[in-house]
Amino acid sequence: MTPEGMHDLVRRLYPLCRSITGDGVRATLDVIAEQVALDRHEVPTGTPVLDWTVPREWNIRAAWIRDPSGRKVVDFADLNLHVVGYSVPVHRRMPLAELRAHLHTLPDQPDLVPYRTSYYTETWGFCLAQRVLDGLPEGEYEVLIDSTLADGHLTYAEHVVPGRTEEEVLISCHVCHPSLANDNLAGIAVAVAFAQRLENPRFTYRFVFAPGTIGAITWLARNDPGRIRHGLTLACAGDPGVLHYKRSRRGDTAIDRAFALLTDAEVLDFTPYGYDERQYCSPGFNLPVGSLTRTPYAGYPEYHTSGDDPDFVSAEAMSGTLAALTRVMSALEADRRYVNLSPFGEPQLGRRGLYGSLGGRSDAERAQMAMLWVLNLADGDHDLLAIAERSGLPFETVADAAGRLEAAGLLKGDR
Amino acid sequence: MTPEGMHDLVRRLYPLCRSITGDGVRATLDVIAEQVALDRHEVPTGTPVLDWTVPREWNIRAAWIRDPSGRKVVDFADLNLHVVGYSVPVHRRMPLAELRAHLHTLPDQPDLVPYRTSYYTETWGFCLAQRVLDGLPEGEYEVLIDSTLADGHLTYAEHVVPGRTEEEVLISCHVCHPSLANDNLAGIAVAVAFAQRLENPRFTYRFVFAPGTIGAITWLARNDPGRIRHGLTLACAGDPGVLHYKRSRRGDTAIDRAFALLTDAEVLDFTPYGYDERQYCSPGFNLPVGSLTRTPYAGYPEYHTSGDDPDFVSAEAMSGTLAALTRVMSALEADRRYVNLSPFGEPQLGRRGLYGSLGGRSDAERAQMAMLWVLNLADGDHDLLAIAERSGLPFETVADAAGRLEAAGLLKGDR
Amino acid sequence: MTPEGMHDLVRRLYPLCRSITGDGVRATLDVIAEQVALDRHEVPTGTPVLDWTVPREWNIRAAWIRDPSGRKVVDFADLNLHVVGYSVPVHRRMPLAELRAHLHTLPDQPDLVPYRTSYYTETWGFCLAQRVLDGLPEGEYEVLIDSTLADGHLTYAEHVVPGRTEEEVLISCHVCHPSLANDNLAGIAVAVAFAQRLENPRFTYRFVFAPGTIGAITWLARNDPGRIRHGLTLACAGDPGVLHYKRSRRGDTAIDRAFALLTDAEVLDFTPYGYDERQYCSPGFNLPVGSLTRTPYAGYPEYHTSGDDPDFVSAEAMSGTLAALTRVMSALEADRRYVNLSPFGEPQLGRRGLYGSLGGRSDAERAQMAMLWVLNLADGDHDLLAIAERSGLPFETVADAAGRLEAAGLLKGDR
């Protein structure tokens, strides 16, 4: 998928009315499935999942407010953010004064429509721009929300790229937000593009497309996360801000170290807030799962407003996110702990053609140093990331040296 | 006790001639006993205590020097610092030249009288201002020290506030210095005021009023310090300097971390010098006992001179010391290690009323974050201090969140 | 040996044509043996040593190049750097164009002759100044190298100063470089001078004079390094640069800490490059062996050129290196872990004469503090270096205090 292809995917997914359940999620997965094969899961309402229960399914067909003159002043058909997520059905007339209790605006950003939900309290409401609200005349309004909140299913999907080992990389994207581009259609697009790049990887890659919180909890309840060796949540992947990586709860896992060493992402300490790393890093699981974003969670003015539209994200930004992700995952694919099989003194490299063979390379000296570093630190404790950190040499140079030494029978790597 | 009450206590104790033994200590304890109940201990001369032996008891009734004209130029009745502590009795006439060997002054602080003792070498002497010495005419002087140094007892006292557990907090004040206000009447006053504030505490609080070094050694020899969970020596609590906390030998105990996190005291590394933390932190005991002072040991010009009088200390300074002590001890009372009983994913707080119940609070967001931090780090390893350190949230907010979560059945705390 | 004696030794060894084998090494050892007793070892060609094999022995008698007029334009008799080490014999005529492939110069340092070797590839060559090469006319040249490369021996020697224990200090000097003064005749001279200073040491000191790489590997193959408690390679000990100490692979051994604490050497992290610390610190051995130099390996323009002659090194610089080595080794001789035999409270020092005895010393207060620090940290974990680090007191003051306390029966040291 090209950079523009990612942007196109964002644009295509944008109008769908996603929520934590319902047909908007299914339609979203249909579009993703055109790009990568998906295993879809439908979990019935009422299913216990960890400390939670799968909620009722919500679907919506129409919603509007007509002013006293009968004109539609707010219409879900224009922008699905106009309805509070999980609004129960309503069709009533009421004066503006009474309606106001159901209207949500952003007084400090008067042209933007906020994004609001009420998953676990039954209510209804509309979101609109403060400026629109300010222009509404007094009088009798007609409101309609044609929704259903009924037993059904929670929907999520997985895309799995089988690896040479059963150890897994988890990439988790929330798919529950309606028309918000950066949060999280951009994350979905980068995940899809990354999945398409994978070829016969070492690890099994599991992409989870699930609603936030309840979706991750459902996935965790139904799966054994013990195979996850590296993971991250991928969100807000297309805004103009600089890249940020938030460490896992453990703080020193390989993926934490790799982002710090190999990318120019700003690295943040773990906090139990943000995206579904909250669930993956709960103390009972404590998985090696960080979070990759551009601007972090809730850190930009357009966050959770109609300002987060497809123009807010760019192909360039998504490409940058994809490049960092690719670089880190490539390194983790190559990362190993080696044991030097000739650990007493230096082995004679010249005899094995590991000197002369370097003669023609412009980076011969660096390659030579990398061999010495790898031999010296190949004690089963240091992985290649640690050797790159300590030597100051590029990871790829270190990994290349390890490969040459292993081919010469001087090292044995794990797996 | 009010701030002025603390200052009044300092003034009342000031004239008493304390030493490491003797009636001055007993009179001091009599005054303290008017404020808090004391268990008093009299340990006979010759009792082996750890590597030491309880010394003979010293008492003094009068001491003076008369000049050739018969005028008293130095008089113990004016200031008890005038006599070297533990001076043996003497009544002689001698020329000034011979007397000089027994006179101690501070040439650099010519108006101040130094404080000197000679506990373990039998001698006698007087302390006086250099300016007074300079004014003495040559001639025959008469000196009298009406003291006794004889088998008796070493006296110390404890005030114990029983707690809900047998784990103890030790607060240790030295009571062996004669007319020195900051060192350590101010420490005694703050300890008494703090004791009076305690109500049904979790820990059992043990206040030890004992002479320095030999008193602490005697206490350690006669007690099992295994119950001490937190402790400090309290000294120099009323001077105008900023607050200092010296870490225990271990350097990372809860009380060490609490002073650093919760007060604006300057935190110093442990040294095996200063007050009785030297004994409590000897390697065989290695107790979690730090030291709280304003200006640290020997750090002010008035130290161990007649300049350390009741005007050198203030009610405000003692109040500040008391406030820091109270804040730290309150936190240690609340500090616990919790285990999250629902550690797989986040528990559903809304269902338990832990979201909505916060709606009306101005610090709702912070309280919410504190719950997430506590749930995330309630793994039995992190205490609340550590959660406050890592989250950057106020300790009280964290402790409050833990209390709410425990009440909801989501956490189990130690004790 | 005086500072000038060290410089004289450098001058005397300078003309000898050393290599990794051969009579130049033996002649070098003959000169060293005039100063310190040597155990010499001759290891036959073909002997397997760790991953390597002892190579053939190389000897050379003469080598020159005559220009078309018959004039010697390059002559080994002038400077042994003129011949590539391990050059095979040759006696041929050839045009300059053909000869050029066998000539090595330093275009950026046109007046200097480089040092080149070809131990493991059979070839021959000459080294000369670029300016000389530039002056050579075209025409037919005659070249002669009268060398032999044949089965023989690898030669190395040890000087051992027996200690009171079997634990060893290893000081290793490479002796394979021909006329290069700093690298490593200065290191040899400092090692010899240091050896001569040792009197009844605690440790057994083993000085190894061996060719680089293959010599250290041979030594390691034939000895059990398990007794080495401290060690270093000593090289480049006489140049005008500041002292540098490179940490062992472990990075926190006693010798690593001692150089940091006790000398003004710049301390560098370990790298698997440089001198024979590469072998001693290979992961299978991982010995506590650092490296002491003035300017580090390859860090000066004269490195491996004819500029590294006896005038490049000075008696003053070698003295400075010797002083730092002596200071560190003296401290390591004194370094111990002690256990306080009276660890409960402070022992009564006055009763043991450990107060009064200090009265006359100008550093009485510091000596007193040192006793308190030693008593406090004598827990079997802290060695004296650690006590000096933590207390900020001079190592000698700490060691002296420990000695006095041990004499008083208050401490028990290891060994």
Side-chain angles (χ1 to χ4, degrees):
Chain A
M1 192 179 289
T2 63
E4 269 312 316
M6 289 191 277
H7 208 172
D8 289 345
L9 182 58
V10 168
R11 285 198 194 91
R12 185 150 167 227
L13 293 169
Y14 182 71
L16 302 174
C17 183
R18 283 162 293 276
S19 184
I20 56 173
T21 59
D23 291 333
V25 174
R26 292 185 189 99
T28 297
L29 297 178
D30 288 344
V31 174
I32 296 172
E34 295 171 14
Q35 300 290 333
V36 293
L38 292 185
D39 296 322
R40 297 166 70 142
H41 303 270
E42 297 279 350
V43 185
T45 296
T47 304
V49 284
L50 303 179
D51 187 61
W52 301 58
T53 304
V54 171
R56 285 181 292 171
E57 180 176 331
W58 184 67
N59 283 292
I60 181 165
R61 286 157 296 277
W64 42 253
I65 302 173
R66 287 184 195 273
D67 71 7
S69 73
R71 190 172 60 92
K72 282 185 185 167
V73 293
V74 173
D75 192 345
F76 170 78
D78 297 336
L79 178 70
N80 58 38
L81 297 180
H82 279 313
V83 172
V84 170
Y86 263 63
S87 280
V88 294
V90 65
H91 189 183
R92 284 174 52 192
R93 292 179 174 276
M94 64 184 73
L96 181 58
E98 185 183 341
L99 179 56
R100 280 183 188 274
H102 293 273
L103 301 184
H104 304 271
T105 64
L106 295 165
D108 294 339
Q109 296 171 291
D111 293 317
L112 298 181
V113 179
Y115 163 53
R116 292 285 183 275
T117 64
S118 183
Y119 299 136
Y120 297 100
T121 305
E122 283 196 23
T123 184
W124 60 267
F126 286 87
C127 299
L128 66 164
Q130 179 70 39
R131 230 180 274 288
V132 170
L133 177 58
D134 293 343
L136 294 185
E138 295 300 319
E140 180 91 343
Y141 283 73
E142 180 183 1
V143 298
L144 172 120
I145 296 179
D146 177 14
S147 66
T148 45
L149 185 56
D151 284 358
H153 295 83
L154 177 146
T155 308
Y156 72 89
E158 297 174 282
H159 171 63
V160 177
V161 180
R164 305 192 302 278
T165 71
E166 293 192 342
E167 288 190 309
E168 292 194 1
V169 172
L170 173 73
I171 295 181
S172 178
C173 297
H174 63 281
V175 296
C176 52
H177 287 185
S179 291
L180 296 170
N182 193 42
D183 182 11
N184 188 26
L185 304 179
I188 293 168
V190 171
V192 167
F194 178 65
Q196 289 177 337
R197 288 189 174 194
L198 291 167
E199 285 181 31
N200 187 29
R202 168 186 177 192
F203 298 118
T204 294
Y205 284 73
R206 186 175 301 272
F207 298 81
V208 173
F209 300 100
T213 306
I214 186 66
I217 284 170
T218 299
W219 186 87
L220 282 163
R222 293 159 54 96
N223 292 277
D224 171 8
R227 290 178 181 169
I228 297 175
R229 179 144 165 190
H230 313 292
L232 50 75
T233 62
L234 183 52
C236 300
D239 70 77
V242 301
L243 211 58
H244 285 74
Y245 173 78
K246 185 171 102 173
R247 290 189 186 94
S248 72
R249 181 180 185 272
R250 296 188 200 165
D252 63 350
T253 64
I255 194 168
D256 297 332
R257 293 186 291 128
F259 268 100
L261 183 69
L262 303 174
T263 75
D264 55 3
E266 280 194 41
V267 177
L268 307 170
D269 282 334
F270 177 76
T271 63
Y273 205 54
Y275 295 103
D276 284 325
E277 65 274 10
R278 292 164 65 160
Q279 310 307 329
Y280 300 118
C281 295
S282 55
F285 292 116
N286 200 21
L287 296 175
V289 172
S291 180
L292 181 62
T293 60
R294 298 195 70 85
T295 303
Y297 180 85
Y300 45 96
E302 297 82 358
Y303 174 79
H304 277 198
T305 74
S306 54
D308 182 4
D309 64 16
D311 291 339
F312 179 59
V313 304
S314 71
E316 290 67 31
M318 287 185 277
S319 286
T321 307
L322 177 61
L325 178 61
T326 301
R327 174 147 170 71
V328 163
M329 290 303 171
S330 298
L332 293 176
E333 288 271 314
D335 193 35
R336 271 173 185 72
R337 282 178 169 73
Y338 288 94
V339 174
N340 181 339
L341 299 176
S342 182
F344 296 100
E346 291 175 10
Q348 195 177 7
L349 298 179
R351 168 157 60 87
R352 295 174 175 88
L354 294 171
Y355 258 68
S357 65
L358 297 167
R361 298 174 52 164
S362 63
D363 63 345
E365 194 177 331
R366 212 160 64 171
Q368 192 62 47
M369 283 302 296
M371 281 199 228
L372 295 177
W373 273 109
V374 170
L375 286 168
N376 193 269
L377 296 179
D379 53 10
D381 285 334
H382 295 80
D383 62 5
L384 295 182
L385 280 168
I387 299 175
E389 285 166 356
R390 184 153 167 189
S391 67
L393 293 168
F395 179 85
E396 287 73 12
T397 306
V398 169
D400 183 60
R404 296 165 61 87
L405 291 165
E406 188 172 32
L410 287 169
L411 296 185
K412 182 165 165 41
D414 56 358
R415 309 228 165 195
Chain B
M1 189 179 289
T2 63
E4 269 311 318
M6 289 191 277
H7 208 172
D8 289 344
L9 182 58
V10 168
R11 286 196 194 90
R12 184 150 168 228
L13 293 170
Y14 181 73
L16 302 175
C17 183
R18 284 162 293 276
S19 184
I20 55 172
T21 59
D23 291 333
V25 174
R26 292 186 189 98
T28 298
L29 297 178
D30 289 343
V31 173
I32 296 172
E34 296 172 12
Q35 301 291 333
V36 292
L38 291 186
D39 296 322
R40 297 166 71 141
H41 304 269
E42 297 279 350
V43 186
T45 296
T47 304
V49 284
L50 302 179
D51 187 63
W52 301 59
T53 304
V54 171
R56 285 181 294 171
E57 180 176 330
W58 184 67
N59 284 290
I60 182 166
R61 287 157 296 276
W64 42 253
I65 303 173
R66 287 183 194 273
D67 70 9
S69 74
R71 189 174 59 94
K72 282 186 185 167
V73 292
V74 173
D75 192 347
F76 170 79
D78 297 335
L79 178 69
N80 57 38
L81 297 181
H82 278 313
V83 172
V84 169
Y86 263 63
S87 280
V88 295
V90 64
H91 190 184
R92 287 173 51 193
R93 291 176 175 278
M94 63 183 72
L96 181 58
E98 185 183 340
L99 179 56
R100 281 183 188 275
H102 293 273
L103 301 183
H104 304 271
T105 65
L106 294 166
D108 294 338
Q109 297 170 293
D111 293 316
L112 297 181
V113 179
Y115 163 54
R116 292 283 184 277
T117 65
S118 182
Y119 299 136
Y120 297 100
T121 305
E122 283 195 23
T123 185
W124 60 268
F126 287 87
C127 298
L128 66 163
Q130 179 69 41
R131 226 178 279 288
V132 171
L133 176 59
D134 293 342
L136 294 185
E138 294 300 318
E140 181 90 345
Y141 284 71
E142 180 184 3
V143 297
L144 172 117
I145 296 179
D146 178 13
S147 67
T148 45
L149 184 56
D151 284 357
H153 294 82
L154 176 146
T155 308
Y156 71 89
E158 296 173 284
H159 171 62
V160 176
V161 180
R164 304 192 302 278
T165 71
E166 293 192 341
E167 288 191 309
E168 292 193 359
V169 172
L170 173 73
I171 295 181
S172 178
C173 296
H174 63 279
V175 297
C176 51
H177 287 184
S179 291
L180 296 171
N182 192 42
D183 182 13
N184 186 29
L185 305 179
I188 292 167
V190 170
V192 167
F194 178 67
Q196 290 177 337
R197 290 188 173 194
L198 290 167
E199 286 182 30
N200 187 28
R202 168 185 174 192
F203 299 117
T204 294
Y205 283 73
R206 185 174 301 273
F207 297 81
V208 174
F209 300 99
T213 306
I214 186 67
I217 283 169
T218 300
W219 186 87
L220 282 164
R222 294 160 52 96
N223 292 277
D224 171 8
R227 290 178 181 170
I228 297 175
R229 179 146 164 188
H230 313 292
L232 49 75
T233 63
L234 183 53
C236 300
D239 70 75
V242 301
L243 210 59
H244 284 74
Y245 174 78
K246 184 171 101 174
R247 290 190 186 93
S248 72
R249 181 180 184 273
R250 296 188 201 166
D252 64 350
T253 64
I255 193 168
D256 297 331
R257 294 185 292 129
F259 268 100
L261 183 68
L262 302 174
T263 74
D264 55 3
E266 280 195 42
V267 177
L268 307 171
D269 281 335
F270 177 76
T271 63
Y273 205 56
Y275 295 103
D276 284 325
E277 66 275 11
R278 292 164 64 160
Q279 310 307 328
Y280 300 119
C281 295
S282 56
F285 293 115
N286 201 20
L287 297 174
V289 172
S291 179
L292 180 62
T293 60
R294 298 195 70 86
T295 303
Y297 180 86
Y300 46 94
E302 297 83 356
Y303 174 79
H304 277 200
T305 74
S306 55
D308 182 5
D309 65 16
D311 291 338
F312 179 60
V313 303
S314 71
E316 290 68 29
M318 286 186 278
S319 285
T321 307
L322 176 61
L325 177 62
T326 302
R327 173 145 170 71
V328 164
M329 290 302 173
S330 298
L332 293 176
E333 289 269 315
D335 193 34
R336 271 173 184 72
R337 281 178 170 72
Y338 288 93
V339 174
N340 182 339
L341 300 176
S342 182
F344 297 99
E346 290 174 10
Q348 194 178 7
L349 298 178
R351 167 156 61 86
R352 295 173 175 87
L354 294 171
Y355 258 67
S357 65
L358 298 168
R361 297 175 54 165
S362 61
D363 63 344
E365 194 177 330
R366 211 161 65 172
Q368 191 63 47
M369 282 302 296
M371 281 199 225
L372 294 177
W373 272 109
V374 170
L375 286 168
N376 194 269
L377 295 179
D379 52 11
D381 285 332
H382 296 80
D383 62 4
L384 295 182
L385 281 169
I387 298 175
E389 286 166 355
R390 184 155 167 188
S391 68
L393 293 167
F395 179 84
E396 288 73 11
T397 306
V398 169
D400 183 59
R404 297 165 60 88
L405 291 166
E406 188 172 33
L410 286 169
L411 295 185
K412 181 164 167 42
D414 55 358
R415 309 228 166 196
Chain C
M1 190 179 289
T2 63
E4 270 311 318
M6 289 191 277
H7 208 172
D8 291 344
L9 183 57
V10 168
R11 285 198 194 89
R12 185 151 167 229
L13 292 171
Y14 182 72
L16 301 175
C17 184
R18 282 162 293 276
S19 185
I20 55 172
T21 59
D23 291 333
V25 174
R26 292 185 188 100
T28 298
L29 297 177
D30 289 342
V31 174
I32 296 172
E34 295 171 13
Q35 300 290 333
V36 293
L38 291 185
D39 296 322
R40 297 167 71 141
H41 303 269
E42 297 280 350
V43 185
T45 297
T47 304
V49 285
L50 303 179
D51 187 62
W52 302 58
T53 303
V54 171
R56 286 182 293 172
E57 180 176 330
W58 184 67
N59 283 292
I60 182 165
R61 287 157 296 277
W64 43 253
I65 302 174
R66 287 186 195 272
D67 70 8
S69 73
R71 191 173 59 94
K72 282 186 185 167
V73 292
V74 174
D75 193 346
F76 169 79
D78 298 334
L79 179 68
N80 57 39
L81 297 182
H82 278 313
V83 172
V84 170
Y86 264 62
S87 280
V88 293
V90 65
H91 190 184
R92 286 173 51 191
R93 291 180 173 275
M94 63 184 73
L96 181 58
E98 186 184 339
L99 180 57
R100 280 183 188 275
H102 293 273
L103 301 183
H104 304 271
T105 65
L106 294 167
D108 294 339
Q109 297 171 294
D111 294 316
L112 298 181
V113 179
Y115 163 53
R116 292 285 183 276
T117 65
S118 181
Y119 300 136
Y120 297 100
T121 305
E122 283 195 22
T123 184
W124 60 267
F126 287 87
C127 299
L128 66 163
Q130 179 70 39
R131 229 180 274 289
V132 171
L133 176 58
D134 293 342
L136 294 185
E138 294 302 318
E140 181 91 343
Y141 284 73
E142 181 183 2
V143 298
L144 172 118
I145 297 181
D146 177 12
S147 67
T148 44
L149 185 56
D151 284 357
H153 296 82
L154 177 147
T155 308
Y156 71 89
E158 296 174 284
H159 170 64
V160 176
V161 180
R164 305 193 301 280
T165 71
E166 294 192 341
E167 288 191 308
E168 292 194 358
V169 171
L170 172 73
I171 295 181
S172 178
C173 297
H174 63 280
V175 296
C176 51
H177 287 183
S179 291
L180 297 171
N182 193 41
D183 184 11
N184 187 29
L185 305 178
I188 292 168
V190 171
V192 167
F194 178 66
Q196 290 176 337
R197 288 187 173 195
L198 290 168
E199 286 182 30
N200 187 29
R202 169 186 175 192
F203 299 117
T204 294
Y205 284 72
R206 185 174 301 273
F207 297 81
V208 173
F209 301 99
T213 307
I214 187 66
I217 284 169
T218 299
W219 187 86
L220 282 164
R222 294 160 53 97
N223 291 277
D224 171 8
R227 290 177 180 170
I228 297 175
R229 179 147 165 186
H230 313 292
L232 51 74
T233 62
L234 183 53
C236 300
D239 69 76
V242 301
L243 211 58
H244 285 75
Y245 174 78
K246 184 171 102 173
R247 291 190 185 95
S248 72
R249 182 179 184 273
R250 296 188 200 165
D252 62 350
T253 65
I255 193 168
D256 297 331
R257 294 185 291 128
F259 268 99
L261 183 69
L262 303 174
T263 74
D264 55 3
E266 280 195 42
V267 177
L268 307 171
D269 282 335
F270 177 76
T271 61
Y273 206 56
Y275 295 104
D276 284 326
E277 65 275 11
R278 293 165 63 161
Q279 311 306 329
Y280 301 119
C281 295
S282 55
F285 293 115
N286 200 22
L287 296 174
V289 172
S291 179
L292 180 63
T293 60
R294 297 194 71 85
T295 302
Y297 180 85
Y300 46 93
E302 296 83 357
Y303 175 78
H304 277 199
T305 75
S306 55
D308 182 6
D309 65 16
D311 292 337
F312 179 59
V313 304
S314 70
E316 290 68 28
M318 286 185 278
S319 286
T321 306
L322 177 60
L325 178 62
T326 301
R327 174 145 170 71
V328 164
M329 290 302 171
S330 298
L332 294 176
E333 289 269 316
D335 193 35
R336 271 173 185 73
R337 281 176 170 72
Y338 288 94
V339 174
N340 181 339
L341 299 176
S342 181
F344 296 100
E346 290 174 11
Q348 194 177 6
L349 298 178
R351 168 158 59 88
R352 295 173 175 88
L354 294 171
Y355 258 67
S357 65
L358 297 168
R361 297 174 54 162
S362 63
D363 63 345
E365 193 176 331
R366 212 161 65 170
Q368 192 62 47
M369 283 302 296
M371 281 201 225
L372 295 178
W373 273 109
V374 170
L375 286 168
N376 193 269
L377 295 180
D379 52 11
D381 285 333
H382 295 79
D383 61 5
L384 295 182
L385 280 169
I387 298 175
E389 285 165 357
R390 184 155 167 187
S391 68
L393 293 168
F395 179 85
E396 288 73 12
T397 306
V398 169
D400 183 61
R404 297 165 60 86
L405 291 166
E406 187 172 32
L410 287 169
L411 295 185
K412 180 165 168 41
D414 56 357
R415 308 229 167 196

